[in-house]
Amino acid sequence: MSITRREFSRLGALALAAQAFPSVSGVAQGADRRVGYCVIGLGRIANHFLRGVAESSTSKITGLVSGHRGKAERIAQQYGVPKSSIYSYEEMDRFRDNKSIDAVYVALPNSMHAEYTIRSAKAGKHVLCEKPMSVAVSEAEAMIAACKANNVKLMIAYRLHYEPITLKTIKMIRDGAIGTVQAFDSSNGFNIAPGEWRSTKALGGGGPLMDVGIYSLNAARYLTGEEPERFTAVASTIDHDGRFNDVEENLSWTMRFPSGAVASCSTTYGAPMPGYYKVFGSKGWLEVASFGYQGQHLRASYSPGGRGTPATTVDETNPEQDPMHFVRQADHFSRCILENQTPDTPGEEGLRDMQHIQSIYRAAGISMG
C-alpha cells in the first residue's frame, strides 16, 4: 500500500496542527505568538533543531549558548538572533531577563544535561532536553524536581513519538491489529569514530546503550504500553583500539513485561547496525526500519480474523525529509507551552528510561554514573 504526500500529511495533522490559544507562561503577546527558544550547545544535533524551528509555525530561535563566540555569531546571523542574545556557558544565567527567550533546547553531551536543565529552570525557562535525559537516575529526579519547583515545563526530545509512522504503529498495536503482542526484537548501532565524546564515560555516561540503544528500549515500552520488570544483559569489547577504554563496545539485553511479552535488543559502537524494530503478535507482525531522522518504513502482515484467514499487508514509508521530526517536536512543545498542557514525553518518560538503563547495566555487571 502506498500513500501520497498529501495523505501522509493528513495522517500527521494532529502532530502539526497549530491553533490559537491564550498566551501563558510569559510568552509574548501580539501577532507573533511563537515560542522563543535558546539553543544550548551548537553541535550536530543542534543543527537539526535549528533548521526544524526555522520551518515551524509555532517556534523561533531567540537565543544561543556556546563556548565559541565566532560560531555562535555566524549561526545567530543565519537565524536572526541579535548578538545581545548570545551567551557563554558561564554567563548563561543572565538570560533570565531576556523576555524573548521562553524555552531552551539542551543539546549538550549527556553528562551536562542535568546542570543546564536545572540552571534553565531556575532562570524561569521551559526545557526541551535531548535524550538520554541524564547519566544517572538521581540526576533525572533532580531535573524533574527543579522544573516543578520553578513552574516550568520539561520535555525529553523523543522525536519519534511525534513521527507519523511511529504513531500509526502504536495505534495498530493498541487497536489489536496484530493481536496479542508476544515478542519484540530490535537493534540499533554504528561504528563510532575515534575521539567521539559519546565513547567517554565522563561525557557520554556509558556506551551505545545510552546513545542509540535507548531507541530500542523506548520503542519496546511505547509499543507494548508496559514497563519491563525483568532483565538479562551481556556486554563485550572486541576492538581494543582505544575507543572503548571507558565504555562497552557491544551490549545485548532481554526484557520481560508484565503481560508475558518478551523483548530482545542489541546495540553497538563497533559495527554498522541499521536500526529497526519488529513486533510479533498472535495475528501477525509489523516492522519499522530506521530510527534515523527520516525514512521510517512500516511493513506489516496480519490476519484480522485470526489464523487461517486472509492476511492484510501494509507497506508505507514516511516521505518527509529531515528536519521534519524536529519541526513536529518543537511544534508539540510550543503548543504545550502556549496551551499550558503536559508534553507527551515529559521528564517522567526520560526518568523511566534511565531507571531501566540502570537495570540493564546492573544485569550486565556494569556500574552506571
Side-chain angles (χ1 to χ4, degrees):
M1 176 181 177
S2 61
I3 57 176
T4 66
R5 287 179 181 269
R6 179 175 295 178
E7 290 167 336
F8 195 88
S9 297
R10 192 178 302 124
L11 175 64
L14 180 62
L16 284 173
Q19 301 175 13
F21 281 82
S23 177
V24 298
S25 304
V27 178
Q29 298 279 355
D32 184 5
R33 294 168 60 188
R34 293 177 294 168
V35 171
Y37 285 88
C38 179
V39 178
I40 305 177
L42 301 179
R44 284 172 291 188
I45 192 72
N47 177 57
H48 295 274
F49 183 79
L50 287 162
R51 291 188 290 114
V53 169
E55 296 183 17
S56 168
S57 61
T58 65
S59 316
K60 57 185 176 180
I61 301 299
T62 55
L64 302 171
V65 177
S66 174
H68 303 280
R69 181 76 187 191
K71 178 179 181 180
E73 288 185 358
R74 290 194 299 274
I75 293 174
Q77 184 176 19
Q78 183 178 355
Y79 291 96
V81 176
K83 289 184 179 181
S84 59
S85 292
I86 301 174
Y87 305 88
S88 68
Y89 294 112
E90 293 75 17
E91 67 179 6
M92 185 193 86
D93 306 280
R94 290 197 301 106
F95 70 22
R96 171 190 297 273
D97 300 320
N98 190 331
K99 301 304 181 184
S100 72
I101 297 174
D102 307 300
V104 303
Y105 173 62
V106 179
L108 296 164
N110 306 340
S111 65
M112 302 169 74
H113 289 180
E115 175 187 350
Y116 286 88
T117 291
I118 293 169
R119 285 175 66 180
S120 298
K122 289 180 177 179
K125 308 303 181 183
H126 303 287
V127 180
L128 172 57
C129 180
E130 263 303 330
K131 60 85 200 155
M133 181 176 181
S134 61
V135 296
V137 171
S138 60
E139 287 186 349
E141 293 170 338
M143 293 161 72
I144 293 171
C147 290
K148 288 183 177 178
N150 291 279
N151 195 32
V152 297
K153 299 185 186 300
L154 173 60
M155 174 172 149
I156 310 304
Y158 290 106
R159 56 185 167 75
L160 289 173
H161 283 246
Y162 309 99
E163 187 275 323
I165 284 286
T166 304
L167 293 172
K168 176 167 184 172
T169 303
I170 294 171
K171 186 176 188 304
M172 287 175 63
I173 293 176
R174 296 291 183 276
D175 290 347
I178 66 169
T180 303
V181 173
Q182 304 289 336
F184 171 93
D185 177 59
S186 180
S187 293
N188 196 26
F190 66 98
N191 200 341
I192 198 166
E196 285 272 358
W197 64 259
R198 289 170 176 79
S199 60
T200 67
K201 193 74 172 285
L203 293 177
L209 175 60
M210 297 285 284
D211 183 17
V212 286
I214 193 173
Y215 285 99
S216 297
L217 168 62
N218 194 253
R221 293 179 50 240
Y222 62 65
L223 290 167
T224 62
E226 299 183 90
E227 299 299 335
E229 58 182 8
R230 293 179 60 185
F231 303 85
T232 67
V234 292
S236 72
T237 295
I238 297 172
D239 297 305
H240 299 280
D241 54 12
R243 292 179 297 165
F244 309 111
N245 293 340
D246 288 344
V247 300
E248 75 283 356
E249 181 176 16
N250 307 295
L251 196 147
S252 293
W253 74 98
T254 66
M255 300 179 288
R256 185 184 188 278
F257 293 88
S259 65
V262 294
S264 176
C265 306
S266 293
T267 187
T268 185
Y269 269 165
M273 180 186 280
Y276 78 94
Y277 60 76
K278 194 166 185 175
V279 188
F280 303 88
S282 57
K283 294 182 180 179
W285 57 269
L286 61 80
E287 178 179 31
V288 171
S290 181
F291 289 114
Y293 301 138
Q294 61 189 38
Q296 280 64 48
H297 181 195
L298 166 64
R299 296 191 308 120
S301 177
Y302 56 93
S303 299
R307 186 167 54 187
T309 62
T312 296
T313 61
V314 178
D315 190 343
E316 299 180 9
T317 300
N318 182 343
E320 298 171 341
Q321 301 295 304
D322 178 46
M324 196 62 198
H325 289 188
F326 295 84
V327 178
R328 294 182 181 279
Q329 181 174 258
D331 280 349
H332 178 78
F333 193 44
S334 293
R335 286 197 305 276
C336 287
I337 293 170
L338 292 167
E339 302 167 18
N340 195 24
Q341 300 295 319
T342 299
D344 286 349
T345 53
E348 289 76 9
E349 175 73 5
L351 171 61
R352 283 188 285 269
D353 269 347
M354 296 312 302
Q355 292 168 333
H356 298 321
I357 286 173
Q358 179 174 266
S359 295
I360 293 167
Y361 272 137
R362 283 177 176 170
I366 297 173
S367 61
M368 179 176 164

